[in-house]
mmCIF file of all heavy atoms in Angstrom:
data_model
loop_
_atom_site.group_PDB
_atom_site.id
_atom_site.type_symbol
_atom_site.label_atom_id
_atom_site.label_comp_id
_atom_site.label_asym_id
_atom_site.label_seq_id
_atom_site.Cartn_x
_atom_site.Cartn_y
_atom_site.Cartn_z
ATOM 1 N N THR A 33 -11.376 24.859 -8.895
ATOM 2 C CA THR A 33 -12.058 23.812 -9.659
ATOM 3 C C THR A 33 -11.799 22.431 -9.121
ATOM 4 O O THR A 33 -12.250 21.471 -9.696
ATOM 5 C CB THR A 33 -11.622 23.831 -11.133
ATOM 6 O OG1 THR A 33 -10.216 23.611 -11.158
ATOM 7 C CG2 THR A 33 -11.958 25.133 -11.795
ATOM 8 N N ASP A 48 2.096 25.338 -16.128
ATOM 9 C CA ASP A 48 1.187 26.429 -16.442
ATOM 10 C C ASP A 48 0.194 26.679 -15.319
ATOM 11 O O ASP A 48 -0.808 27.346 -15.505
ATOM 12 C CB ASP A 48 0.439 26.130 -17.735
ATOM 13 C CG ASP A 48 -0.252 24.792 -17.675
ATOM 14 O OD1 ASP A 48 0.060 24.014 -16.761
ATOM 15 O OD2 ASP A 48 -1.071 24.543 -18.545
ATOM 16 N N LEU A 49 0.448 26.106 -14.112
ATOM 17 C CA LEU A 49 -0.421 26.355 -12.984
ATOM 18 C C LEU A 49 0.280 27.159 -11.885
ATOM 19 O O LEU A 49 -0.290 27.452 -10.856
ATOM 20 C CB LEU A 49 -0.902 25.040 -12.369
ATOM 21 C CG LEU A 49 -1.546 24.029 -13.308
ATOM 22 C CD1 LEU A 49 -2.068 22.863 -12.497
ATOM 23 C CD2 LEU A 49 -2.680 24.674 -14.068
ATOM 24 N N ARG A 83 -5.631 26.610 -11.482
ATOM 25 C CA ARG A 83 -6.299 27.446 -12.470
ATOM 26 C C ARG A 83 -7.564 26.743 -12.964
ATOM 27 O O ARG A 83 -7.726 25.535 -12.827
ATOM 28 C CB ARG A 83 -5.377 27.692 -13.662
ATOM 29 C CG ARG A 83 -5.100 26.445 -14.482
ATOM 30 C CD ARG A 83 -4.098 26.723 -15.576
ATOM 31 N NE ARG A 83 -3.703 25.497 -16.227
ATOM 32 C CZ ARG A 83 -4.239 25.035 -17.338
ATOM 33 N NH1 ARG A 83 -5.203 25.710 -17.927
ATOM 34 N NH2 ARG A 83 -3.818 23.924 -17.875
ATOM 35 N N PRO A 84 -8.495 27.472 -13.582
ATOM 36 C CA PRO A 84 -9.691 26.828 -14.124
ATOM 37 C C PRO A 84 -9.344 25.935 -15.306
ATOM 38 O O PRO A 84 -8.384 26.178 -16.030
ATOM 39 C CB PRO A 84 -10.561 28.016 -14.561
ATOM 40 C CG PRO A 84 -9.605 29.145 -14.750
ATOM 41 C CD PRO A 84 -8.498 28.927 -13.771
ATOM 42 N N VAL A 85 -10.119 24.904 -15.483
ATOM 43 C CA VAL A 85 -9.908 23.975 -16.588
ATOM 44 C C VAL A 85 -10.323 24.624 -17.904
ATOM 45 O O VAL A 85 -11.305 25.354 -17.969
ATOM 46 C CB VAL A 85 -10.718 22.686 -16.361
ATOM 47 C CG1 VAL A 85 -10.621 21.757 -17.558
ATOM 48 C CG2 VAL A 85 -10.219 21.969 -15.110
ATOM 49 N N VAL A 86 -9.558 24.345 -18.944
ATOM 50 C CA VAL A 86 -9.892 24.854 -20.267
ATOM 51 C C VAL A 86 -11.151 24.150 -20.770
ATOM 52 O O VAL A 86 -11.257 22.926 -20.716
ATOM 53 C CB VAL A 86 -8.733 24.614 -21.251
ATOM 54 C CG1 VAL A 86 -9.144 25.006 -22.665
ATOM 55 C CG2 VAL A 86 -7.516 25.404 -20.816
ATOM 56 N N ARG A 87 -12.102 24.915 -21.222
ATOM 57 C CA ARG A 87 -13.326 24.345 -21.801
ATOM 58 C C ARG A 87 -13.017 23.945 -23.238
ATOM 59 O O ARG A 87 -12.797 24.785 -24.103
ATOM 60 C CB ARG A 87 -14.459 25.362 -21.762
ATOM 61 C CG ARG A 87 -14.768 25.857 -20.362
ATOM 62 C CD ARG A 87 -15.441 24.798 -19.523
ATOM 63 N NE ARG A 87 -15.687 25.267 -18.160
ATOM 64 C CZ ARG A 87 -16.395 24.597 -17.265
ATOM 65 N NH1 ARG A 87 -16.918 23.433 -17.597
ATOM 66 N NH2 ARG A 87 -16.557 25.076 -16.056
ATOM 67 N N PHE A 88 -13.004 22.664 -23.492
ATOM 68 C CA PHE A 88 -12.520 22.156 -24.766
ATOM 69 C C PHE A 88 -13.318 22.723 -25.939
ATOM 70 O O PHE A 88 -12.752 23.141 -26.951
ATOM 71 C CB PHE A 88 -12.593 20.630 -24.756
ATOM 72 C CG PHE A 88 -12.071 19.979 -26.001
ATOM 73 C CD1 PHE A 88 -10.714 19.911 -26.241
ATOM 74 C CD2 PHE A 88 -12.938 19.438 -26.928
ATOM 75 C CE1 PHE A 88 -10.223 19.316 -27.387
ATOM 76 C CE2 PHE A 88 -12.463 18.832 -28.075
ATOM 77 C CZ PHE A 88 -11.107 18.772 -28.303
ATOM 78 N N ARG A 89 -14.628 22.756 -25.808
ATOM 79 C CA ARG A 89 -15.462 23.190 -26.940
ATOM 80 C C ARG A 89 -15.268 24.652 -27.291
ATOM 81 O O ARG A 89 -15.500 25.063 -28.430
ATOM 82 C CB ARG A 89 -16.938 22.933 -26.620
ATOM 83 C CG ARG A 89 -17.327 21.476 -26.601
ATOM 84 C CD ARG A 89 -18.759 21.302 -26.172
ATOM 85 N NE ARG A 89 -18.969 21.790 -24.810
ATOM 86 C CZ ARG A 89 -20.155 21.802 -24.202
ATOM 87 N NH1 ARG A 89 -21.225 21.386 -24.850
ATOM 88 N NH2 ARG A 89 -20.264 22.241 -22.968
ATOM 89 N N SER A 91 -12.317 26.341 -26.744
ATOM 90 C CA SER A 91 -10.895 26.658 -26.877
ATOM 91 C C SER A 91 -10.445 26.339 -28.297
ATOM 92 O O SER A 91 -10.228 25.173 -28.649
ATOM 93 C CB SER A 91 -10.083 25.842 -25.866
ATOM 94 O OG SER A 91 -8.713 26.031 -26.064
ATOM 95 N N ARG A 92 -10.305 27.364 -29.101
ATOM 96 C CA ARG A 92 -9.911 27.137 -30.492
ATOM 97 C C ARG A 92 -8.545 26.494 -30.627
ATOM 98 O O ARG A 92 -8.374 25.578 -31.437
ATOM 99 C CB ARG A 92 -9.959 28.449 -31.269
ATOM 100 C CG ARG A 92 -9.505 28.314 -32.714
ATOM 101 C CD ARG A 92 -9.777 29.554 -33.525
ATOM 102 N NE ARG A 92 -11.202 29.759 -33.702
ATOM 103 C CZ ARG A 92 -11.706 30.751 -34.446
ATOM 104 N NH1 ARG A 92 -10.891 31.606 -35.050
ATOM 105 N NH2 ARG A 92 -13.011 30.876 -34.567
ATOM 106 N N PRO A 93 -7.522 26.909 -29.853
ATOM 107 C CA PRO A 93 -6.225 26.224 -29.983
ATOM 108 C C PRO A 93 -6.317 24.729 -29.695
ATOM 109 O O PRO A 93 -5.708 23.919 -30.396
ATOM 110 C CB PRO A 93 -5.348 26.952 -28.951
ATOM 111 C CG PRO A 93 -5.972 28.285 -28.788
ATOM 112 C CD PRO A 93 -7.430 28.069 -28.941
ATOM 113 N N ASP A 94 -7.089 24.344 -28.669
ATOM 114 C CA ASP A 94 -7.236 22.919 -28.368
ATOM 115 C C ASP A 94 -7.963 22.193 -29.486
ATOM 116 O O ASP A 94 -7.599 21.081 -29.862
ATOM 117 C CB ASP A 94 -7.988 22.740 -27.046
ATOM 118 C CG ASP A 94 -7.110 23.017 -25.847
ATOM 119 O OD1 ASP A 94 -6.247 22.192 -25.543
ATOM 120 O OD2 ASP A 94 -7.276 24.081 -25.225
ATOM 121 N N LEU A 95 -9.001 22.813 -30.014
ATOM 122 C CA LEU A 95 -9.759 22.166 -31.090
ATOM 123 C C LEU A 95 -8.893 21.966 -32.332
ATOM 124 O O LEU A 95 -8.909 20.886 -32.944
ATOM 125 C CB LEU A 95 -10.985 23.020 -31.431
ATOM 126 C CG LEU A 95 -12.119 23.034 -30.396
ATOM 127 C CD1 LEU A 95 -13.166 24.070 -30.776
ATOM 128 C CD2 LEU A 95 -12.749 21.656 -30.272
ATOM 129 N N LEU A 97 -5.564 21.890 -32.539
ATOM 130 C CA LEU A 97 -4.488 20.943 -32.268
ATOM 131 C C LEU A 97 -5.020 19.518 -32.255
ATOM 132 O O LEU A 97 -4.415 18.613 -32.851
ATOM 133 C CB LEU A 97 -3.834 21.285 -30.929
ATOM 134 C CG LEU A 97 -2.720 20.335 -30.466
ATOM 135 C CD1 LEU A 97 -1.583 20.302 -31.476
ATOM 136 C CD2 LEU A 97 -2.202 20.762 -29.087
ATOM 137 N N CYS A 98 -6.151 19.313 -31.603
ATOM 138 C CA CYS A 98 -6.731 17.965 -31.536
ATOM 139 C C CYS A 98 -7.122 17.479 -32.920
ATOM 140 O O CYS A 98 -6.897 16.305 -33.263
ATOM 141 C CB CYS A 98 -7.943 17.981 -30.602
ATOM 142 S SG CYS A 98 -8.637 16.351 -30.266
ATOM 143 N N VAL A 189 -9.768 11.423 -29.100
ATOM 144 C CA VAL A 189 -10.297 12.730 -28.688
ATOM 145 C C VAL A 189 -10.638 12.727 -27.200
ATOM 146 O O VAL A 189 -10.346 13.687 -26.476
ATOM 147 C CB VAL A 189 -11.534 13.090 -29.533
ATOM 148 C CG1 VAL A 189 -12.208 14.344 -28.989
ATOM 149 C CG2 VAL A 189 -11.131 13.309 -30.990
ATOM 150 N N LEU A 190 -11.256 11.647 -26.728
ATOM 151 C CA LEU A 190 -11.600 11.561 -25.305
ATOM 152 C C LEU A 190 -10.343 11.594 -24.431
ATOM 153 O O LEU A 190 -10.345 12.179 -23.348
ATOM 154 C CB LEU A 190 -12.390 10.280 -25.032
ATOM 155 C CG LEU A 190 -13.843 10.275 -25.532
ATOM 156 C CD1 LEU A 190 -14.437 8.876 -25.397
ATOM 157 C CD2 LEU A 190 -14.693 11.282 -24.766
ATOM 158 N N LEU A 191 -9.275 10.972 -24.904
ATOM 159 C CA LEU A 191 -8.031 10.986 -24.134
ATOM 160 C C LEU A 191 -7.477 12.411 -24.041
ATOM 161 O O LEU A 191 -6.993 12.822 -22.976
ATOM 162 C CB LEU A 191 -7.003 10.055 -24.774
ATOM 163 C CG LEU A 191 -5.679 9.941 -24.021
ATOM 164 C CD1 LEU A 191 -5.897 9.296 -22.661
ATOM 165 C CD2 LEU A 191 -4.657 9.153 -24.823
ATOM 166 N N TYR A 192 -7.535 13.150 -25.128
ATOM 167 C CA TYR A 192 -7.064 14.544 -25.101
ATOM 168 C C TYR A 192 -7.905 15.378 -24.127
ATOM 169 O O TYR A 192 -7.371 16.150 -23.322
ATOM 170 C CB TYR A 192 -7.129 15.143 -26.500
ATOM 171 C CG TYR A 192 -6.541 16.535 -26.592
ATOM 172 C CD1 TYR A 192 -5.209 16.722 -26.917
ATOM 173 C CD2 TYR A 192 -7.323 17.656 -26.341
ATOM 174 C CE1 TYR A 192 -4.666 18.000 -26.990
ATOM 175 C CE2 TYR A 192 -6.797 18.938 -26.401
ATOM 176 C CZ TYR A 192 -5.465 19.099 -26.730
ATOM 177 O OH TYR A 192 -4.934 20.361 -26.789
ATOM 178 N N VAL A 193 -9.224 15.213 -24.208
ATOM 179 C CA VAL A 193 -10.107 15.955 -23.305
ATOM 180 C C VAL A 193 -9.807 15.586 -21.859
ATOM 181 O O VAL A 193 -9.741 16.457 -20.979
ATOM 182 C CB VAL A 193 -11.577 15.660 -23.651
ATOM 183 C CG1 VAL A 193 -12.507 16.292 -22.614
ATOM 184 C CG2 VAL A 193 -11.917 16.194 -25.033
ATOM 185 N N LEU A 194 -9.617 14.307 -21.592
ATOM 186 C CA LEU A 194 -9.318 13.867 -20.234
ATOM 187 C C LEU A 194 -8.007 14.470 -19.742
ATOM 188 O O LEU A 194 -7.911 14.927 -18.591
ATOM 189 C CB LEU A 194 -9.265 12.344 -20.173
ATOM 190 C CG LEU A 194 -8.891 11.724 -18.825
ATOM 191 C CD1 LEU A 194 -9.891 12.137 -17.753
ATOM 192 C CD2 LEU A 194 -8.801 10.211 -18.935
ATOM 193 N N ALA A 195 -6.997 14.486 -20.584
ATOM 194 C CA ALA A 195 -5.713 15.063 -20.187
ATOM 195 C C ALA A 195 -5.863 16.534 -19.811
ATOM 196 O O ALA A 195 -5.284 17.002 -18.818
ATOM 197 C CB ALA A 195 -4.701 14.895 -21.315
ATOM 198 N N ARG A 196 -6.633 17.271 -20.576
ATOM 199 C CA ARG A 196 -6.833 18.695 -20.256
ATOM 200 C C ARG A 196 -7.649 18.868 -18.986
ATOM 201 O O ARG A 196 -7.398 19.776 -18.189
ATOM 202 C CB ARG A 196 -7.520 19.398 -21.430
ATOM 203 C CG ARG A 196 -6.680 19.455 -22.685
ATOM 204 C CD ARG A 196 -5.443 20.306 -22.492
ATOM 205 N NE ARG A 196 -5.738 21.729 -22.668
ATOM 206 C CZ ARG A 196 -5.024 22.706 -22.140
ATOM 207 N NH1 ARG A 196 -3.998 22.414 -21.357
ATOM 208 N NH2 ARG A 196 -5.343 23.959 -22.359
ATOM 209 N N ARG A 197 -8.630 17.978 -18.771
ATOM 210 C CA ARG A 197 -9.431 18.073 -17.548
ATOM 211 C C ARG A 197 -8.629 17.685 -16.305
ATOM 212 O O ARG A 197 -9.010 18.055 -15.194
ATOM 213 C CB ARG A 197 -10.673 17.193 -17.673
ATOM 214 C CG ARG A 197 -11.701 17.749 -18.641
ATOM 215 C CD ARG A 197 -12.996 16.976 -18.635
ATOM 216 N NE ARG A 197 -14.002 17.670 -19.427
ATOM 217 C CZ ARG A 197 -15.265 17.294 -19.547
ATOM 218 N NH1 ARG A 197 -15.688 16.205 -18.914
ATOM 219 N NH2 ARG A 197 -16.109 17.986 -20.286
ATOM 220 N N LEU A 198 -7.553 16.930 -16.503
ATOM 221 C CA LEU A 198 -6.679 16.573 -15.396
ATOM 222 C C LEU A 198 -5.518 17.555 -15.266
ATOM 223 O O LEU A 198 -4.488 17.232 -14.685
ATOM 224 C CB LEU A 198 -6.147 15.148 -15.589
ATOM 225 C CG LEU A 198 -7.207 14.040 -15.594
ATOM 226 C CD1 LEU A 198 -6.556 12.682 -15.753
ATOM 227 C CD2 LEU A 198 -8.058 14.094 -14.338
ATOM 228 N N PHE A 199 -5.694 18.760 -15.833
ATOM 229 C CA PHE A 199 -4.780 19.894 -15.656
ATOM 230 C C PHE A 199 -3.451 19.732 -16.374
ATOM 231 O O PHE A 199 -2.502 20.445 -16.060
ATOM 232 C CB PHE A 199 -4.516 20.167 -14.164
ATOM 233 C CG PHE A 199 -5.751 20.363 -13.349
ATOM 234 C CD1 PHE A 199 -6.149 19.407 -12.445
ATOM 235 C CD2 PHE A 199 -6.529 21.490 -13.509
ATOM 236 C CE1 PHE A 199 -7.295 19.570 -11.692
ATOM 237 C CE2 PHE A 199 -7.677 21.663 -12.763
ATOM 238 C CZ PHE A 199 -8.065 20.701 -11.858
ATOM 239 N N LEU A 200 -3.337 18.826 -17.320
ATOM 240 C CA LEU A 200 -2.102 18.748 -18.089
ATOM 241 C C LEU A 200 -2.049 19.911 -19.069
ATOM 242 O O LEU A 200 -3.065 20.291 -19.659
ATOM 243 C CB LEU A 200 -2.018 17.424 -18.852
ATOM 244 C CG LEU A 200 -1.787 16.161 -18.026
ATOM 245 C CD1 LEU A 200 -1.592 14.959 -18.939
ATOM 246 C CD2 LEU A 200 -0.597 16.309 -17.092
ATOM 247 N N PRO A 201 -0.867 20.489 -19.292
ATOM 248 C CA PRO A 201 -0.752 21.564 -20.288
ATOM 249 C C PRO A 201 -1.025 21.033 -21.689
ATOM 250 O O PRO A 201 -1.021 19.824 -21.929
ATOM 251 C CB PRO A 201 0.694 22.038 -20.126
ATOM 252 C CG PRO A 201 1.413 20.897 -19.496
ATOM 253 C CD PRO A 201 0.417 20.204 -18.624
ATOM 254 N N ARG A 202 -1.229 21.954 -22.589
ATOM 255 C CA ARG A 202 -1.644 21.564 -23.940
ATOM 256 C C ARG A 202 -0.630 20.647 -24.606
ATOM 257 O O ARG A 202 -0.986 19.663 -25.246
ATOM 258 C CB ARG A 202 -1.869 22.829 -24.777
ATOM 259 C CG ARG A 202 -2.499 22.555 -26.138
ATOM 260 C CD ARG A 202 -2.802 23.862 -26.856
ATOM 261 N NE ARG A 202 -3.853 24.589 -26.173
ATOM 262 C CZ ARG A 202 -3.734 25.819 -25.674
ATOM 263 N NH1 ARG A 202 -2.558 26.448 -25.785
ATOM 264 N NH2 ARG A 202 -4.741 26.422 -25.075
ATOM 265 N N TRP A 203 0.652 20.949 -24.454
ATOM 266 C CA TRP A 203 1.668 20.114 -25.107
ATOM 267 C C TRP A 203 1.680 18.703 -24.528
ATOM 268 O O TRP A 203 1.902 17.738 -25.257
ATOM 269 C CB TRP A 203 3.047 20.759 -24.974
ATOM 270 C CG TRP A 203 3.619 20.763 -23.581
ATOM 271 C CD1 TRP A 203 3.551 21.773 -22.667
ATOM 272 C CD2 TRP A 203 4.338 19.710 -22.941
ATOM 273 N NE1 TRP A 203 4.178 21.429 -21.501
ATOM 274 C CE2 TRP A 203 4.675 20.153 -21.643
ATOM 275 C CE3 TRP A 203 4.734 18.441 -23.335
ATOM 276 C CZ2 TRP A 203 5.387 19.368 -20.735
ATOM 277 C CZ3 TRP A 203 5.442 17.656 -22.433
ATOM 278 C CH2 TRP A 203 5.753 18.112 -21.159
ATOM 279 N N SER A 204 1.409 18.600 -23.246
ATOM 280 C CA SER A 204 1.397 17.276 -22.624
ATOM 281 C C SER A 204 0.170 16.475 -23.059
ATOM 282 O O SER A 204 0.258 15.259 -23.280
ATOM 283 C CB SER A 204 1.424 17.423 -21.103
ATOM 284 O OG SER A 204 1.484 16.162 -20.479
ATOM 285 N N ALA A 205 -0.973 17.127 -23.176
ATOM 286 C CA ALA A 205 -2.164 16.447 -23.677
ATOM 287 C C ALA A 205 -1.950 15.964 -25.116
ATOM 288 O O ALA A 205 -2.375 14.860 -25.490
ATOM 289 C CB ALA A 205 -3.369 17.382 -23.607
ATOM 290 N N ALA A 206 -1.288 16.802 -25.927
ATOM 291 C CA ALA A 206 -0.985 16.383 -27.301
ATOM 292 C C ALA A 206 -0.041 15.190 -27.312
ATOM 293 O O ALA A 206 -0.194 14.266 -28.122
ATOM 294 C CB ALA A 206 -0.372 17.553 -28.067
ATOM 295 N N LEU A 207 0.928 15.191 -26.403
ATOM 296 C CA LEU A 207 1.853 14.059 -26.317
ATOM 297 C C LEU A 207 1.110 12.777 -25.956
ATOM 298 O O LEU A 207 1.369 11.719 -26.539
ATOM 299 C CB LEU A 207 2.933 14.362 -25.283
ATOM 300 C CG LEU A 207 3.932 13.236 -24.997
ATOM 301 C CD1 LEU A 207 4.714 12.875 -26.258
ATOM 302 C CD2 LEU A 207 4.887 13.639 -23.871
ATOM 303 N N ALA A 208 0.190 12.867 -25.003
ATOM 304 C CA ALA A 208 -0.592 11.683 -24.626
ATOM 305 C C ALA A 208 -1.394 11.151 -25.811
ATOM 306 O O ALA A 208 -1.464 9.944 -26.044
ATOM 307 C CB ALA A 208 -1.524 12.030 -23.467
ATOM 308 N N MET A 209 -1.990 12.044 -26.572
ATOM 309 C CA MET A 209 -2.782 11.644 -27.735
ATOM 310 C C MET A 209 -1.910 10.967 -28.793
ATOM 311 O O MET A 209 -2.305 9.952 -29.393
ATOM 312 C CB MET A 209 -3.491 12.864 -28.313
ATOM 313 C CG MET A 209 -4.504 12.556 -29.394
ATOM 314 S SD MET A 209 -5.403 14.048 -29.863
ATOM 315 C CE MET A 209 -6.459 13.410 -31.179
ATOM 316 N N CYS A 240 -13.711 10.977 -18.383
ATOM 317 C CA CYS A 240 -13.957 12.385 -18.732
ATOM 318 C C CYS A 240 -15.122 12.951 -17.927
ATOM 319 O O CYS A 240 -15.071 14.088 -17.448
ATOM 320 C CB CYS A 240 -14.235 12.513 -20.231
ATOM 321 S SG CYS A 240 -12.789 12.347 -21.285
ATOM 322 N N ALA A 243 -14.150 13.496 -14.270
ATOM 323 C CA ALA A 243 -13.281 14.663 -14.074
ATOM 324 C C ALA A 243 -13.894 15.936 -14.632
ATOM 325 O O ALA A 243 -13.184 16.919 -14.861
ATOM 326 C CB ALA A 243 -11.920 14.411 -14.734
ATOM 327 N N SER A 244 -15.187 15.943 -14.835
ATOM 328 C CA SER A 244 -15.856 17.101 -15.417
ATOM 329 C C SER A 244 -15.620 18.347 -14.567
ATOM 330 O O SER A 244 -15.792 18.317 -13.343
ATOM 331 C CB SER A 244 -17.359 16.839 -15.531
ATOM 332 O OG SER A 244 -18.051 18.027 -15.854
ATOM 333 N N PRO A 245 -15.228 19.469 -15.164
ATOM 334 C CA PRO A 245 -15.002 20.703 -14.385
ATOM 335 C C PRO A 245 -16.288 21.280 -13.811
ATOM 336 O O PRO A 245 -16.243 22.008 -12.822
ATOM 337 C CB PRO A 245 -14.369 21.645 -15.409
ATOM 338 C CG PRO A 245 -14.819 21.134 -16.738
ATOM 339 C CD PRO A 245 -14.935 19.651 -16.603
ATOM 340 N N HIS A 283 -11.795 14.656 -8.003
ATOM 341 C CA HIS A 283 -12.240 15.803 -8.800
ATOM 342 C C HIS A 283 -13.682 16.208 -8.517
ATOM 343 O O HIS A 283 -14.201 17.098 -9.196
ATOM 344 C CB HIS A 283 -12.069 15.500 -10.286
ATOM 345 C CG HIS A 283 -10.643 15.371 -10.707
ATOM 346 N ND1 HIS A 283 -9.893 16.436 -11.150
ATOM 347 C CD2 HIS A 283 -9.810 14.312 -10.727
ATOM 348 C CE1 HIS A 283 -8.665 16.029 -11.431
ATOM 349 N NE2 HIS A 283 -8.595 14.750 -11.181
ATOM 350 N N ALA A 386 -3.564 14.932 -9.559
ATOM 351 C CA ALA A 386 -4.579 15.018 -10.615
ATOM 352 C C ALA A 386 -4.659 13.732 -11.425
ATOM 353 O O ALA A 386 -5.733 13.335 -11.872
ATOM 354 C CB ALA A 386 -4.272 16.205 -11.531
ATOM 355 N N LEU A 387 -3.520 13.071 -11.619
ATOM 356 C CA LEU A 387 -3.462 11.833 -12.407
ATOM 357 C C LEU A 387 -3.471 10.590 -11.532
ATOM 358 O O LEU A 387 -3.064 9.516 -11.987
ATOM 359 C CB LEU A 387 -2.200 11.835 -13.266
ATOM 360 C CG LEU A 387 -2.145 12.867 -14.393
ATOM 361 C CD1 LEU A 387 -0.774 12.873 -15.047
ATOM 362 C CD2 LEU A 387 -3.213 12.585 -15.432
ATOM 363 N N LEU A 422 -1.267 8.370 -20.932
ATOM 364 C CA LEU A 422 -1.609 9.519 -20.097
ATOM 365 C C LEU A 422 -0.595 9.726 -18.977
ATOM 366 O O LEU A 422 -0.136 10.847 -18.732
ATOM 367 C CB LEU A 422 -3.007 9.323 -19.523
ATOM 368 C CG LEU A 422 -3.704 10.534 -18.906
ATOM 369 C CD1 LEU A 422 -3.807 11.665 -19.916
ATOM 370 C CD2 LEU A 422 -5.084 10.139 -18.403
ATOM 371 N N ARG A 461 3.633 32.498 -16.802
ATOM 372 C CA ARG A 461 3.882 32.032 -18.165
ATOM 373 C C ARG A 461 5.289 32.364 -18.639
ATOM 374 O O ARG A 461 5.640 32.073 -19.764
ATOM 375 C CB ARG A 461 2.863 32.627 -19.140
ATOM 376 C CG ARG A 461 1.473 32.091 -18.933
ATOM 377 C CD ARG A 461 0.586 32.406 -20.121
ATOM 378 N NE ARG A 461 -0.751 31.908 -19.921
ATOM 379 C CZ ARG A 461 -1.134 30.665 -20.139
ATOM 380 N NH1 ARG A 461 -0.261 29.785 -20.547
ATOM 381 N NH2 ARG A 461 -2.384 30.296 -19.932
#
Side-chain angles (χ1 to χ4, degrees):
T33 60
D48 54 346
L49 307 185
R83 68 185 172 96
V85 175
V86 174
R87 302 288 178 172
F88 182 75
R89 290 175 298 177
S91 174
R92 177 170 292 184
D94 283 287
L95 288 172
L97 177 60
C98 187
V189 172
L190 287 171
L191 183 65
Y192 185 92
V193 173
L194 177 60
R196 295 295 277 156
R197 288 187 172 185
L198 297 182
F199 306 109
L200 289 186
R202 188 175 292 121
W203 70 264
S204 183
L207 176 62
M209 189 174 178
C240 285
S244 169
H283 293 270
L387 292 173
L422 195 57
R461 291 195 181 278

